[in-house]
Amino acid sequence: MGFAAIILAAGKGSRMKSDMPKVMHGLAGVPMLAHVMKTATEAGAIKKVVVIGHGGELVSKAALALDAEVQIAEQAEQNGTGHAVIQAKTALEGFKGDIIVLYGDTPFVKPESLGKMLAARAQGNDVVVLGFKASNPEGYGRLSMSGDSLEAIIEHKDCSPEQCEIDFCNSGVVCANTETLFSLLDEVGSNNASGEVYLTDIVAIARVKGLSCTAITCDEEETLGVNSRSDLARAEQSFQESARTQALENGTTLVAPQTVYFSLDTLVGADVVIEPNVIFGPGVTVENGAHIRAFSHLEGCHISEGAVVGPYARLRPGAEIGAFGKVGNFVEIKNAVVGKGAKVNHLSYVGDAEIGADSNIGAGVIFCNYDGVFKHQSTLGERVFVGSNSALVSPVNIGSDALIGTGSVITSDVPSGDLSLARAKQVNKTGRGKRLMDMLRARKK
Ligand code: UD1
Ligand code: CA
């Protein structure tokens, strides 16, 4: 059975020292929030509510862009995590299943851990908390256990010296039935060191009522919380390390793993070779057997089977490289299809275009897609050969098997099979070169 996820993302994140809300900071090419939303979806959330506050407009826009079905709840004042959860109540009107509360600043919680929590709920535990053994418990809420029973969560600021010694800590993730959760929250006060309504207080209240509470343990890496820019850098490193390990395990060759950067949504097929210093921005898919050569920068693109990209290639959003196509050094491709077996091997810009199968784009060819106001599209058929250093002034259509002479500036369509020359005719003047040079040298003496 599906559950509802409440994602808390209202906090300012003061320690980030940023005008941007914390959950909008980039991690593996996407906002931190995207990681948490993905976890919820993969664990089977049938509803998601994001609680916004600081920079709420930006956060809700990002959340809706990631998932149009997501619901937004506003927390006008940040009175604590418990208060934040209460703001999601209206959005969940009529929902009767389990709820899992996730924090927007804790991006690495695994869907499997949420699955274990739901299983513990199904076994009859009323409140289930995700805990971890902290190597340094400083700052975390402590889980006070009696055998398997969780008795209370004590916030660090409210811990007695004895409680400070506990190293079993709260990740922040809590699971309970909708009705249980909101009725417990109704009873939470703000009589604590921060004067806030703590979500964590529901445990002690539940125990007084005779409800059962327990904790599931996850790895400490999953609970890494991002509060500062150093935490964010650490989180990025941790993500990249596991993405590299995952890629190697999936059968991708990474010549120098430490120099390759992935995004949260990078998809790489089998037997792909990735040379050093390759950056995957968001939205990249690489099919089986492709070869990404060194120093390439890719985002929002699709590379088909057996294609070779780089070294030093830049593929921007909408670049679609056909099977066994070739994109060489210092080539930039944006919103353009390079057909099956087609080649753009040296120093070119291809924007807003379609290049048919087996065509060859010579060195230094530029697609002039922008007139200063509008973007225009060009289409090339199959087996077209464009001579080096030509400019194609879009929009133009070039038919299959056409041949464009080197250095041409093409401003109108070229029919299939034609040879098109759009450059000044060459003139040779007999002996004139040497005579001119001799004259100049004589002057220098
Ligand atoms: C919280 C837990 C603590 C746990 C730790 C794990 C509470 C009271 N404490 O502490 O037990 O060990 O996380 O990282 O829950 N937020 C809102 N509205 C608010 C306050 C917070 O949306 O009014 C959001 C924040 O944006 C953040 C999350 O809730 O995403 C956690 O809040 P934060 O203030 O960072 O809690 P911690 O002090 O880290
Ligand atoms: Ca935190």
Side-chain angles (χ1 to χ4, degrees):
M1 201 181 68
F3 67 96
I6 299 177
I7 299 169
L8 304 191
K12 182 159 187 265
S14 322
R15 280 173 284 171
M16 295 296 284
K17 301 209 170 75
S18 173
D19 285 339
M20 191 161 68
K22 179 159 72 177
V23 295
M24 291 304 294
H25 282 263
L27 178 59
V30 296
M32 211 188 308
L33 179 67
H35 291 253
V36 184
M37 286 181 61
K38 186 178 180 217
T39 302
T41 305
E42 285 184 1
I46 53 171
K47 272 174 180 286
K48 288 194 275 291
V49 185
V50 176
V51 180
I52 59 162
H54 277 282
E57 213 170 298
L58 258 181
V59 179
S60 67
K61 220 170 133 192
L64 287 162
L66 289 162
D67 180 351
E69 306 272 282
V70 84
Q71 284 172 282
I72 305 292
E74 201 175 342
Q75 185 191 26
E77 256 183 89
Q78 280 67 61
N79 291 335
T81 48
H83 179 255
V85 173
I86 292 169
Q87 310 313 305
K89 192 173 174 179
T90 320
L92 292 173
E93 198 75 62
F95 181 75
K96 294 200 184 318
D98 282 350
I99 288 180
I100 294 185
V101 179
L102 295 157
Y103 291 169
D105 68 350
T106 309
F108 296 145
V109 174
K110 290 198 175 130
E112 297 77 47
S113 296
L114 304 192
K116 285 182 199 160
M117 294 176 76
L118 291 164
R121 264 281 305 132
Q123 280 162 13
N125 297 285
D126 294 303
V127 177
V128 181
V129 168
L130 186 64
F132 66 103
K133 287 267 182 214
S135 50
N136 173 13
E138 180 84 30
Y140 290 111
R142 308 299 208 279
L143 302 185
S144 166
M145 304 295 294
S146 167
D148 279 345
S149 171
L150 174 63
E151 297 298 314
I153 304 179
I154 309 114
E155 286 308 301
H156 182 84
K157 285 184 189 167
D158 303 303
C159 277
S160 66
E162 204 174 60
Q163 289 165 330
C164 272
E165 295 299 309
I166 301 174
D167 66 352
F168 193 32
C169 290
N170 176 26
S171 70
V173 187
V174 173
C175 178
N177 176 265
T178 307
E179 207 190 314
T180 313
L181 179 67
F182 288 117
S183 63
L184 289 170
L185 278 169
D186 278 344
E187 295 184 38
V188 175
S190 56
N191 184 19
N192 53 55
S194 307
E196 290 185 351
V197 179
Y198 289 164
L199 169 63
T200 45
D201 280 354
I202 63 168
V203 171
I205 295 169
R207 291 299 296 134
V208 170
K209 288 178 178 295
L211 297 180
S212 57
C213 302
T214 194
I216 295 294
T217 309
C218 72
D219 284 342
E220 188 169 10
E221 294 95 80
E222 288 184 50
T223 66
L224 191 147
V226 176
N227 294 311
S228 64
R229 305 255 183 181
S230 329
D231 290 342
L232 185 63
R234 207 168 300 134
E236 184 70 43
Q237 193 186 352
S238 160
F239 175 89
Q240 295 304 340
E241 269 165 20
S242 59
R244 289 163 190 152
T245 307
Q246 190 70 55
L248 294 167
E249 276 171 14
N250 290 350
T252 303
T253 294
L254 301 180
V255 177
Q258 298 304 319
T259 67
V260 175
Y261 289 81
F262 294 101
S263 278
L264 179 64
D265 59 357
T266 307
L267 288 174
V268 177
D271 276 325
V272 169
V273 175
I274 301 171
E275 292 186 7
N277 295 296
V278 171
I279 312 273
F280 291 91
V284 179
T285 313
V286 184
E287 306 278 356
N288 295 354
H291 191 137
I292 316 295
R293 305 191 62 190
F295 293 98
S296 293
H297 189 284
L298 320 171
E299 63 183 311
C301 62
H302 176 238
I303 298 166
S304 304
E305 181 195 358
V308 181
V309 171
Y312 297 98
R314 178 165 184 216
L315 301 188
R316 291 172 52 204
E320 163 86 45
I321 313 305
F324 305 99
K326 280 191 175 163
V327 175
N329 44 270
F330 306 107
V331 170
E332 174 180 346
I333 299 190
K334 184 219 77 174
N335 188 33
V337 177
V338 174
K340 192 173 168 207
K343 296 175 189 158
V344 191
N345 267 334
H346 337 265
L347 303 155
S348 289
Y349 172 65
V350 182
D352 301 309
E354 210 176 308
I355 298 171
D358 299 317
S359 288
N360 189 311
I361 309 299
V365 170
I366 305 294
F367 284 65
C368 312
N369 61 323
Y370 186 49
D371 58 17
V373 181
F374 296 106
K375 300 274 171 67
H376 302 278
Q377 176 90 17
S378 281
T379 308
L380 278 65
E382 299 184 355
R383 297 170 303 281
V384 170
F385 185 96
V386 181
S388 294
N389 203 34
S390 292
L392 308 179
V393 184
S394 297
V396 286
N397 293 306
I398 298 174
S400 291
D401 301 298
L403 176 59
I404 311 289
T406 293
S408 292
V409 177
I410 300 295
T411 54
S412 50
D413 291 355
V414 178
S416 277
D418 280 14
L419 165 67
S420 184
L421 300 164
R423 62 188 192 212
K425 206 173 163 69
Q426 183 171 328
V427 188
N428 294 343
K429 309 237 176 197
T430 314
R432 182 79 175 268
K434 184 165 188 307
R435 283 210 301 281
L436 206 60
M437 287 306 287
D438 288 348
M439 195 178 83
L440 292 172
R441 283 185 194 114
R443 261 191 219 170
K444 202 179 174 187
K445 276 179 193 158

